[in-house]
Amino acid sequence: MLRIKDLVKRYGKDEAVLKDLNLEVPGESVVAIIGASGAGKSTLLRCINRLVEPTSGSIDLNGTELTTLSGGELRLARRRIGMIFQGFNLINRLTVMENVLSGRLGYVPTWRAMTRNFPQSDIDRAFQLMERVGIAHYANKRADELSGGERQRVGVVRALMQEPEILLADEPTASLDPKTSRQIMELLRALASELHLPVLINIHNVTEAKEYTQRIVGMRFGRIIFDSVPTDLTQDAMDEIYAGVPAEERGETGDPESLREVVSQ
């Protein structure tokens, strides 16, 4: 369970990016965060894993207060938070297996990390997960030889190698074509169920959010103004979340049935 209470993030003397934000994410759930650019979506995710330092408030992950940790305690806590990035964040010159095994860096001694001498149990787990997402046959291929969808699957497996208690995905489909985007969203939904993981996804594509997640959180100017099931995301709610944003920039790409036909072709 992730519990966020009264979270504030302010840069210098500027207006707060996050304003007294409260959110709970239970286990085995897939939650989408939507909102216009500047709403605070990415900042929220980066506060959770402390890539951005919160100004005040509480972030509790399964009984551990993340905002008070530092040094070794923070490094240990970060092992429990898997992060999937829009830009993949792979090391291009390394193989798929080497990139995947980097998810174990927080668990092995420095000498093993430097020599890439990982335990056989880690290698076996990497193959198992790569087989699950359909990239095991690329194990010895360089990361820069893969397509965008394949690279994102590597990023997903790398995050899972951390044995995380929560997955955070920051615009995981923004760099992908529509068909591949939907495949990645389907994969995240399936993994949340199979591994009993909460998944929190910052996503621009509202249509995908409505089809592949169980709950949608709408943000505007650093506050949560909508929090409900996808069927409750009416046009009025959309207009409030995206007030002033042109329709073509709201991430609505058509009805799910028509998109499903595209994917099946």
Side-chain angles (χ1 to χ4, degrees):
M1 169 74 80
L2 175 70
R3 291 186 174 92
I4 299 174
K5 185 176 181 180
D6 300 329
L7 183 64
V8 174
K9 175 57 187 177
R10 174 178 283 105
Y11 293 97
K13 296 182 179 179
D14 293 338
E15 183 180 359
V17 179
L18 300 177
K19 305 170 183 176
D20 298 315
L21 188 143
N22 294 277
L23 179 67
E24 289 192 1
V25 181
E28 202 173 324
S29 62
V30 184
V31 180
I33 307 173
I34 66 171
S37 298
K41 306 185 300 296
S42 291
T43 300
L44 171 58
L45 262 60
R46 291 171 182 270
C47 279
I48 294 171
N49 63 13
R50 296 280 302 280
L51 290 176
V52 168
E53 288 296 323
T55 301
S56 62
S58 170
I59 304 174
D60 181 289
L61 178 62
N62 294 331
T64 299
E65 176 52 55
L66 301 177
T67 61
T68 62
L69 301 180
S70 61
E73 288 183 329
L74 178 57
R75 286 193 294 274
L76 289 175
R78 279 179 171 152
R79 297 191 314 191
R80 300 156 54 194
I81 305 171
M83 187 77 177
I84 301 166
F85 300 89
Q86 173 183 342
F88 316 127
N89 281 27
L90 304 182
I91 300 176
N92 287 331
R93 61 183 174 79
L94 297 185
T95 66
V96 167
M97 175 61 81
E98 289 169 330
N99 273 283
V100 164
L101 287 172
S102 68
R104 298 300 295 170
L105 292 178
Y107 292 86
V108 299
T110 303
W111 72 268
R112 279 193 179 275
M114 293 183 65
T115 59
R116 301 175 198 164
N117 184 7
F118 290 87
Q120 186 62 43
S121 58
D122 287 349
I123 296 172
D124 292 343
R125 174 64 171 163
F127 270 118
Q128 179 186 13
L129 289 171
M130 288 192 293
E131 184 70 37
R132 167 61 185 84
V133 306
I135 57 170
H137 55 297
Y138 293 136
N140 295 317
K141 206 168 187 179
R142 278 177 52 129
D144 57 6
E145 298 179 56
L146 304 182
S147 69
E150 292 161 351
R151 288 163 66 84
Q152 192 57 285
R153 290 172 189 269
V154 176
V156 170
V157 175
R158 177 184 58 192
L160 294 177
M161 286 294 292
Q162 295 177 220
E163 299 178 64
E165 296 176 18
I166 189 170
L167 272 181
L168 307 178
D170 192 10
E171 295 283 5
T173 64
S175 301
L176 307 177
D177 63 81
K179 180 176 180 178
T180 306
S181 295
R182 294 169 67 82
Q183 292 171 343
I184 293 297
M185 290 297 293
E186 176 60 41
L187 176 64
L188 291 175
R189 180 172 66 179
L191 289 171
S193 176
E194 292 170 20
L195 302 176
H196 310 292
L197 274 176
V199 180
L200 191 57
I201 306 174
N202 165 16
I203 188 168
H204 177 70
N205 191 311
V206 175
T207 301
E208 290 178 355
K210 292 172 73 173
E211 186 171 359
Y212 290 105
T213 70
Q214 301 154 327
R215 176 179 164 201
I216 295 179
V217 172
M219 293 184 63
R220 181 167 174 79
F221 298 142
R223 300 185 188 277
I224 292 175
I225 63 171
F226 177 89
D227 187 351
S228 191
V229 295
T231 52
D232 287 344
L233 188 64
T234 63
Q235 189 59 54
D236 286 344
M238 285 286 291
D239 289 343
E240 184 177 4
I241 295 167
Y242 291 97
V245 178
E248 62 271 17
E249 297 179 19
R250 294 185 177 194
E252 297 175 275
T253 57
D255 68 275
E257 288 302 323
S258 63
L259 286 173
R260 193 174 290 114
E261 292 174 4
V262 172
V263 170
S264 65
Q265 291 178 356

